[in-house]
Amino acid sequence: MGSQDQHRRPGLLAAIDASRIAQETAAAEATRPEREAREQQIEADAALHGTAGWQALSTHRRQMAAAHVARQAQEAGNDAA
């Protein structure tokens, strides 16, 4: 009986892993529109830097936009290396 357990276990683990991946993918797809809208808003906020509109943003939104710009700069630097 022990050898049967060993033969069944890899298939079971693969099925569990496949199920987990499918759930994660579905969750990511479900939140994609919200995530994309948030990214677009942050990019629009970042475009206001240096304008009067920048000062009108809340501190939180300015921080989010600044972090977004910093990440983009870091990624651009990593791509160049």
Side-chain angles (χ1 to χ4, degrees), residues 48-77:
L48 292 174
H49 189 267
T51 69
W54 177 259
Q55 294 303 318
L57 294 175
S58 69
T59 301
H60 177 73
R61 285 180 64 180
R62 286 195 306 263
Q63 289 172 342
M64 294 294 291
H68 176 74
V69 170
R71 273 191 309 275
Q72 285 182 328
Q74 184 178 16
E75 289 171 3

PDB file of all heavy atoms in Angstrom, residues 48-77:
ATOM      1  N   LEU A  48       1.442  65.595 -13.672  1.00  0.00           N
ATOM      2  CA  LEU A  48       1.168  66.919 -13.113  1.00  0.00           C
ATOM      3  C   LEU A  48       2.380  67.512 -12.375  1.00  0.00           C
ATOM      4  O   LEU A  48       2.349  68.683 -11.991  1.00  0.00           O
ATOM      5  CB  LEU A  48      -0.009  66.854 -12.136  1.00  0.00           C
ATOM      6  CG  LEU A  48      -1.370  66.571 -12.739  1.00  0.00           C
ATOM      7  CD1 LEU A  48      -2.405  66.393 -11.638  1.00  0.00           C
ATOM      8  CD2 LEU A  48      -1.775  67.675 -13.694  1.00  0.00           C
ATOM      9  N   HIS A  49       3.425  66.715 -12.186  1.00  0.00           N
ATOM     10  CA  HIS A  49       4.589  67.191 -11.428  1.00  0.00           C
ATOM     11  C   HIS A  49       5.125  68.489 -12.036  1.00  0.00           C
ATOM     12  O   HIS A  49       5.282  68.619 -13.233  1.00  0.00           O
ATOM     13  CB  HIS A  49       5.694  66.131 -11.415  1.00  0.00           C
ATOM     14  CG  HIS A  49       6.789  66.483 -10.483  1.00  0.00           C
ATOM     15  ND1 HIS A  49       7.900  67.169 -10.871  1.00  0.00           N
ATOM     16  CD2 HIS A  49       6.921  66.255  -9.158  1.00  0.00           C
ATOM     17  CE1 HIS A  49       8.692  67.348  -9.834  1.00  0.00           C
ATOM     18  NE2 HIS A  49       8.124  66.802  -8.776  1.00  0.00           N
ATOM     19  N   GLY A  50       5.358  69.452 -11.188  1.00  0.00           N
ATOM     20  CA  GLY A  50       5.870  70.747 -11.639  1.00  0.00           C
ATOM     21  C   GLY A  50       4.784  71.722 -12.061  1.00  0.00           C
ATOM     22  O   GLY A  50       5.089  72.813 -12.527  1.00  0.00           O
ATOM     23  N   THR A  51       3.544  71.338 -11.909  1.00  0.00           N
ATOM     24  CA  THR A  51       2.435  72.226 -12.277  1.00  0.00           C
ATOM     25  C   THR A  51       1.641  72.577 -11.023  1.00  0.00           C
ATOM     26  O   THR A  51       1.831  71.981  -9.957  1.00  0.00           O
ATOM     27  CB  THR A  51       1.481  71.543 -13.286  1.00  0.00           C
ATOM     28  OG1 THR A  51       0.779  70.486 -12.631  1.00  0.00           O
ATOM     29  CG2 THR A  51       2.232  70.993 -14.485  1.00  0.00           C
ATOM     30  N   ALA A  52       0.740  73.525 -11.164  1.00  0.00           N
ATOM     31  CA  ALA A  52      -0.116  73.896 -10.041  1.00  0.00           C
ATOM     32  C   ALA A  52      -1.013  72.721  -9.642  1.00  0.00           C
ATOM     33  O   ALA A  52      -1.357  72.562  -8.465  1.00  0.00           O
ATOM     34  CB  ALA A  52      -0.971  75.103 -10.409  1.00  0.00           C
ATOM     35  N   GLY A  53      -1.343  71.894 -10.590  1.00  0.00           N
ATOM     36  CA  GLY A  53      -2.176  70.731 -10.310  1.00  0.00           C
ATOM     37  C   GLY A  53      -1.503  69.754  -9.348  1.00  0.00           C
ATOM     38  O   GLY A  53      -2.172  69.077  -8.569  1.00  0.00           O
ATOM     39  N   TRP A  54      -0.178  69.693  -9.390  1.00  0.00           N
ATOM     40  CA  TRP A  54       0.572  68.810  -8.489  1.00  0.00           C
ATOM     41  C   TRP A  54       0.315  69.186  -7.036  1.00  0.00           C
ATOM     42  O   TRP A  54       0.099  68.324  -6.195  1.00  0.00           O
ATOM     43  CB  TRP A  54       2.053  68.884  -8.822  1.00  0.00           C
ATOM     44  CG  TRP A  54       2.931  68.073  -7.929  1.00  0.00           C
ATOM     45  CD1 TRP A  54       3.692  68.521  -6.887  1.00  0.00           C
ATOM     46  CD2 TRP A  54       3.152  66.663  -7.980  1.00  0.00           C
ATOM     47  NE1 TRP A  54       4.371  67.491  -6.301  1.00  0.00           N
ATOM     48  CE2 TRP A  54       4.050  66.328  -6.958  1.00  0.00           C
ATOM     49  CE3 TRP A  54       2.674  65.641  -8.796  1.00  0.00           C
ATOM     50  CZ2 TRP A  54       4.488  65.036  -6.719  1.00  0.00           C
ATOM     51  CZ3 TRP A  54       3.109  64.342  -8.572  1.00  0.00           C
ATOM     52  CH2 TRP A  54       4.002  64.055  -7.539  1.00  0.00           C
ATOM     53  N   GLN A  55       0.320  70.465  -6.749  1.00  0.00           N
ATOM     54  CA  GLN A  55       0.084  70.929  -5.382  1.00  0.00           C
ATOM     55  C   GLN A  55      -1.345  70.666  -4.928  1.00  0.00           C
ATOM     56  O   GLN A  55      -1.599  70.540  -3.730  1.00  0.00           O
ATOM     57  CB  GLN A  55       0.415  72.416  -5.255  1.00  0.00           C
ATOM     58  CG  GLN A  55       1.884  72.734  -5.450  1.00  0.00           C
ATOM     59  CD  GLN A  55       2.773  71.978  -4.477  1.00  0.00           C
ATOM     60  OE1 GLN A  55       2.457  71.856  -3.305  1.00  0.00           O
ATOM     61  NE2 GLN A  55       3.878  71.444  -4.977  1.00  0.00           N
ATOM     62  N   ALA A  56      -2.253  70.562  -5.863  1.00  0.00           N
ATOM     63  CA  ALA A  56      -3.653  70.300  -5.514  1.00  0.00           C
ATOM     64  C   ALA A  56      -3.878  68.831  -5.131  1.00  0.00           C
ATOM     65  O   ALA A  56      -4.875  68.519  -4.485  1.00  0.00           O
ATOM     66  CB  ALA A  56      -4.557  70.677  -6.683  1.00  0.00           C
ATOM     67  N   LEU A  57      -2.943  67.955  -5.499  1.00  0.00           N
ATOM     68  CA  LEU A  57      -3.086  66.536  -5.152  1.00  0.00           C
ATOM     69  C   LEU A  57      -2.872  66.339  -3.657  1.00  0.00           C
ATOM     70  O   LEU A  57      -2.112  67.070  -3.022  1.00  0.00           O
ATOM     71  CB  LEU A  57      -2.052  65.694  -5.913  1.00  0.00           C
ATOM     72  CG  LEU A  57      -2.191  65.615  -7.426  1.00  0.00           C
ATOM     73  CD1 LEU A  57      -1.017  64.847  -8.012  1.00  0.00           C
ATOM     74  CD2 LEU A  57      -3.502  64.961  -7.814  1.00  0.00           C
ATOM     75  N   SER A  58      -3.501  65.319  -3.126  1.00  0.00           N
ATOM     76  CA  SER A  58      -3.277  64.991  -1.720  1.00  0.00           C
ATOM     77  C   SER A  58      -1.841  64.497  -1.544  1.00  0.00           C
ATOM     78  O   SER A  58      -1.189  64.076  -2.505  1.00  0.00           O
ATOM     79  CB  SER A  58      -4.256  63.900  -1.264  1.00  0.00           C
ATOM     80  OG  SER A  58      -3.933  62.665  -1.890  1.00  0.00           O
ATOM     81  N   THR A  59      -1.367  64.556  -0.323  1.00  0.00           N
ATOM     82  CA  THR A  59      -0.009  64.084  -0.030  1.00  0.00           C
ATOM     83  C   THR A  59       0.138  62.627  -0.442  1.00  0.00           C
ATOM     84  O   THR A  59       1.153  62.243  -1.032  1.00  0.00           O
ATOM     85  CB  THR A  59       0.301  64.250   1.475  1.00  0.00           C
ATOM     86  OG1 THR A  59       0.171  65.627   1.817  1.00  0.00           O
ATOM     87  CG2 THR A  59       1.686  63.764   1.811  1.00  0.00           C
ATOM     88  N   HIS A  60      -0.870  61.828  -0.161  1.00  0.00           N
ATOM     89  CA  HIS A  60      -0.817  60.402  -0.511  1.00  0.00           C
ATOM     90  C   HIS A  60      -0.669  60.211  -2.016  1.00  0.00           C
ATOM     91  O   HIS A  60       0.153  59.406  -2.470  1.00  0.00           O
ATOM     92  CB  HIS A  60      -2.074  59.690   0.000  1.00  0.00           C
ATOM     93  CG  HIS A  60      -2.132  58.249  -0.390  1.00  0.00           C
ATOM     94  ND1 HIS A  60      -1.328  57.293   0.183  1.00  0.00           N
ATOM     95  CD2 HIS A  60      -2.897  57.604  -1.309  1.00  0.00           C
ATOM     96  CE1 HIS A  60      -1.598  56.122  -0.379  1.00  0.00           C
ATOM     97  NE2 HIS A  60      -2.551  56.290  -1.273  1.00  0.00           N
ATOM     98  N   ARG A  61      -1.446  60.943  -2.806  1.00  0.00           N
ATOM     99  CA  ARG A  61      -1.375  60.793  -4.265  1.00  0.00           C
ATOM    100  C   ARG A  61      -0.036  61.279  -4.797  1.00  0.00           C
ATOM    101  O   ARG A  61       0.519  60.679  -5.723  1.00  0.00           O
ATOM    102  CB  ARG A  61      -2.536  61.524  -4.931  1.00  0.00           C
ATOM    103  CG  ARG A  61      -3.831  60.728  -4.749  1.00  0.00           C
ATOM    104  CD  ARG A  61      -5.021  61.366  -5.363  1.00  0.00           C
ATOM    105  NE  ARG A  61      -4.922  61.476  -6.805  1.00  0.00           N
ATOM    106  CZ  ARG A  61      -5.875  62.008  -7.560  1.00  0.00           C
ATOM    107  NH1 ARG A  61      -6.983  62.466  -7.006  1.00  0.00           N
ATOM    108  NH2 ARG A  61      -5.724  62.097  -8.858  1.00  0.00           N
ATOM    109  N   ARG A  62       0.523  62.349  -4.209  1.00  0.00           N
ATOM    110  CA  ARG A  62       1.854  62.800  -4.636  1.00  0.00           C
ATOM    111  C   ARG A  62       2.899  61.738  -4.312  1.00  0.00           C
ATOM    112  O   ARG A  62       3.794  61.472  -5.111  1.00  0.00           O
ATOM    113  CB  ARG A  62       2.210  64.133  -3.974  1.00  0.00           C
ATOM    114  CG  ARG A  62       1.452  65.311  -4.557  1.00  0.00           C
ATOM    115  CD  ARG A  62       2.053  66.641  -4.154  1.00  0.00           C
ATOM    116  NE  ARG A  62       2.214  66.816  -2.725  1.00  0.00           N
ATOM    117  CZ  ARG A  62       1.373  67.459  -1.925  1.00  0.00           C
ATOM    118  NH1 ARG A  62       0.276  68.004  -2.435  1.00  0.00           N
ATOM    119  NH2 ARG A  62       1.612  67.571  -0.635  1.00  0.00           N
ATOM    120  N   GLN A  63       2.776  61.111  -3.143  1.00  0.00           N
ATOM    121  CA  GLN A  63       3.721  60.057  -2.766  1.00  0.00           C
ATOM    122  C   GLN A  63       3.605  58.855  -3.703  1.00  0.00           C
ATOM    123  O   GLN A  63       4.621  58.277  -4.100  1.00  0.00           O
ATOM    124  CB  GLN A  63       3.481  59.614  -1.319  1.00  0.00           C
ATOM    125  CG  GLN A  63       3.891  60.651  -0.298  1.00  0.00           C
ATOM    126  CD  GLN A  63       3.456  60.268   1.118  1.00  0.00           C
ATOM    127  OE1 GLN A  63       2.591  59.418   1.310  1.00  0.00           O
ATOM    128  NE2 GLN A  63       4.065  60.912   2.093  1.00  0.00           N
ATOM    129  N   MET A  64       2.389  58.474  -4.033  1.00  0.00           N
ATOM    130  CA  MET A  64       2.184  57.349  -4.946  1.00  0.00           C
ATOM    131  C   MET A  64       2.775  57.658  -6.325  1.00  0.00           C
ATOM    132  O   MET A  64       3.435  56.810  -6.933  1.00  0.00           O
ATOM    133  CB  MET A  64       0.695  57.027  -5.079  1.00  0.00           C
ATOM    134  CG  MET A  64       0.060  56.502  -3.800  1.00  0.00           C
ATOM    135  SD  MET A  64       0.696  54.908  -3.288  1.00  0.00           S
ATOM    136  CE  MET A  64       0.047  53.881  -4.577  1.00  0.00           C
ATOM    137  N   ALA A  65       2.561  58.871  -6.811  1.00  0.00           N
ATOM    138  CA  ALA A  65       3.090  59.260  -8.124  1.00  0.00           C
ATOM    139  C   ALA A  65       4.615  59.298  -8.091  1.00  0.00           C
ATOM    140  O   ALA A  65       5.274  58.826  -9.023  1.00  0.00           O
ATOM    141  CB  ALA A  65       2.522  60.615  -8.541  1.00  0.00           C
ATOM    142  N   ALA A  66       5.190  59.836  -7.024  1.00  0.00           N
ATOM    143  CA  ALA A  66       6.641  59.898  -6.910  1.00  0.00           C
ATOM    144  C   ALA A  66       7.241  58.490  -6.853  1.00  0.00           C
ATOM    145  O   ALA A  66       8.271  58.214  -7.486  1.00  0.00           O
ATOM    146  CB  ALA A  66       7.048  60.697  -5.677  1.00  0.00           C
ATOM    147  N   ALA A  67       6.612  57.590  -6.132  1.00  0.00           N
ATOM    148  CA  ALA A  67       7.095  56.207  -6.051  1.00  0.00           C
ATOM    149  C   ALA A  67       7.001  55.528  -7.416  1.00  0.00           C
ATOM    150  O   ALA A  67       7.890  54.775  -7.808  1.00  0.00           O
ATOM    151  CB  ALA A  67       6.298  55.431  -5.010  1.00  0.00           C
ATOM    152  N   HIS A  68       5.945  55.827  -8.144  1.00  0.00           N
ATOM    153  CA  HIS A  68       5.760  55.263  -9.482  1.00  0.00           C
ATOM    154  C   HIS A  68       6.882  55.729 -10.410  1.00  0.00           C
ATOM    155  O   HIS A  68       7.478  54.928 -11.128  1.00  0.00           O
ATOM    156  CB  HIS A  68       4.389  55.682 -10.027  1.00  0.00           C
ATOM    157  CG  HIS A  68       4.126  55.242 -11.423  1.00  0.00           C
ATOM    158  ND1 HIS A  68       3.850  53.936 -11.745  1.00  0.00           N
ATOM    159  CD2 HIS A  68       4.094  55.936 -12.593  1.00  0.00           C
ATOM    160  CE1 HIS A  68       3.667  53.840 -13.051  1.00  0.00           C
ATOM    161  NE2 HIS A  68       3.803  55.049 -13.580  1.00  0.00           N
ATOM    162  N   VAL A  69       7.182  57.010 -10.374  1.00  0.00           N
ATOM    163  CA  VAL A  69       8.249  57.558 -11.216  1.00  0.00           C
ATOM    164  C   VAL A  69       9.594  56.952 -10.821  1.00  0.00           C
ATOM    165  O   VAL A  69      10.401  56.587 -11.677  1.00  0.00           O
ATOM    166  CB  VAL A  69       8.277  59.104 -11.121  1.00  0.00           C
ATOM    167  CG1 VAL A  69       9.515  59.670 -11.774  1.00  0.00           C
ATOM    168  CG2 VAL A  69       7.018  59.685 -11.741  1.00  0.00           C
ATOM    169  N   ALA A  70       9.836  56.793  -9.528  1.00  0.00           N
ATOM    170  CA  ALA A  70      11.088  56.198  -9.054  1.00  0.00           C
ATOM    171  C   ALA A  70      11.218  54.747  -9.527  1.00  0.00           C
ATOM    172  O   ALA A  70      12.304  54.330  -9.957  1.00  0.00           O
ATOM    173  CB  ALA A  70      11.167  56.272  -7.534  1.00  0.00           C
ATOM    174  N   ARG A  71      10.117  53.982  -9.482  1.00  0.00           N
ATOM    175  CA  ARG A  71      10.149  52.592  -9.961  1.00  0.00           C
ATOM    176  C   ARG A  71      10.449  52.540 -11.450  1.00  0.00           C
ATOM    177  O   ARG A  71      11.241  51.710 -11.902  1.00  0.00           O
ATOM    178  CB  ARG A  71       8.811  51.894  -9.686  1.00  0.00           C
ATOM    179  CG  ARG A  71       8.710  51.257  -8.331  1.00  0.00           C
ATOM    180  CD  ARG A  71       7.477  50.364  -8.219  1.00  0.00           C
ATOM    181  NE  ARG A  71       6.232  50.997  -8.629  1.00  0.00           N
ATOM    182  CZ  ARG A  71       5.477  51.749  -7.845  1.00  0.00           C
ATOM    183  NH1 ARG A  71       5.843  51.991  -6.604  1.00  0.00           N
ATOM    184  NH2 ARG A  71       4.357  52.274  -8.293  1.00  0.00           N
ATOM    185  N   GLN A  72       9.835  53.441 -12.207  1.00  0.00           N
ATOM    186  CA  GLN A  72      10.076  53.461 -13.648  1.00  0.00           C
ATOM    187  C   GLN A  72      11.533  53.789 -13.940  1.00  0.00           C
ATOM    188  O   GLN A  72      12.140  53.177 -14.819  1.00  0.00           O
ATOM    189  CB  GLN A  72       9.164  54.483 -14.334  1.00  0.00           C
ATOM    190  CG  GLN A  72       7.725  54.023 -14.448  1.00  0.00           C
ATOM    191  CD  GLN A  72       6.862  55.046 -15.175  1.00  0.00           C
ATOM    192  OE1 GLN A  72       7.092  56.235 -15.087  1.00  0.00           O
ATOM    193  NE2 GLN A  72       5.881  54.563 -15.887  1.00  0.00           N
ATOM    194  N   ALA A  73      12.085  54.732 -13.206  1.00  0.00           N
ATOM    195  CA  ALA A  73      13.489  55.095 -13.399  1.00  0.00           C
ATOM    196  C   ALA A  73      14.402  53.934 -13.051  1.00  0.00           C
ATOM    197  O   ALA A  73      15.386  53.663 -13.758  1.00  0.00           O
ATOM    198  CB  ALA A  73      13.835  56.328 -12.567  1.00  0.00           C
ATOM    199  N   GLN A  74      14.081  53.234 -11.972  1.00  0.00           N
ATOM    200  CA  GLN A  74      14.889  52.087 -11.568  1.00  0.00           C
ATOM    201  C   GLN A  74      14.813  50.973 -12.607  1.00  0.00           C
ATOM    202  O   GLN A  74      15.821  50.385 -12.963  1.00  0.00           O
ATOM    203  CB  GLN A  74      14.442  51.574 -10.209  1.00  0.00           C
ATOM    204  CG  GLN A  74      15.312  50.451  -9.682  1.00  0.00           C
ATOM    205  CD  GLN A  74      14.881  49.992  -8.301  1.00  0.00           C
ATOM    206  OE1 GLN A  74      13.777  50.299  -7.845  1.00  0.00           O
ATOM    207  NE2 GLN A  74      15.750  49.271  -7.626  1.00  0.00           N
ATOM    208  N   GLU A  75      13.617  50.712 -13.107  1.00  0.00           N
ATOM    209  CA  GLU A  75      13.443  49.686 -14.120  1.00  0.00           C
ATOM    210  C   GLU A  75      14.181  50.062 -15.402  1.00  0.00           C
ATOM    211  O   GLU A  75      14.787  49.205 -16.048  1.00  0.00           O
ATOM    212  CB  GLU A  75      11.967  49.450 -14.405  1.00  0.00           C
ATOM    213  CG  GLU A  75      11.240  48.751 -13.277  1.00  0.00           C
ATOM    214  CD  GLU A  75       9.730  48.714 -13.461  1.00  0.00           C
ATOM    215  OE1 GLU A  75       9.233  49.183 -14.506  1.00  0.00           O
ATOM    216  OE2 GLU A  75       9.050  48.214 -12.559  1.00  0.00           O
ATOM    217  N   ALA A  76      14.147  51.331 -15.766  1.00  0.00           N
ATOM    218  CA  ALA A  76      14.861  51.787 -16.961  1.00  0.00           C
ATOM    219  C   ALA A  76      16.369  51.608 -16.764  1.00  0.00           C
ATOM    220  O   ALA A  76      17.086  51.227 -17.681  1.00  0.00           O
ATOM    221  CB  ALA A  76      14.523  53.237 -17.270  1.00  0.00           C
ATOM    222  N   GLY A  77      16.837  51.877 -15.556  1.00  0.00           N
ATOM    223  CA  GLY A  77      18.251  51.677 -15.257  1.00  0.00           C
ATOM    224  C   GLY A  77      18.648  50.219 -15.293  1.00  0.00           C
ATOM    225  O   GLY A  77      19.718  49.867 -15.773  1.00  0.00           O
TER     226      GLY A  77
END
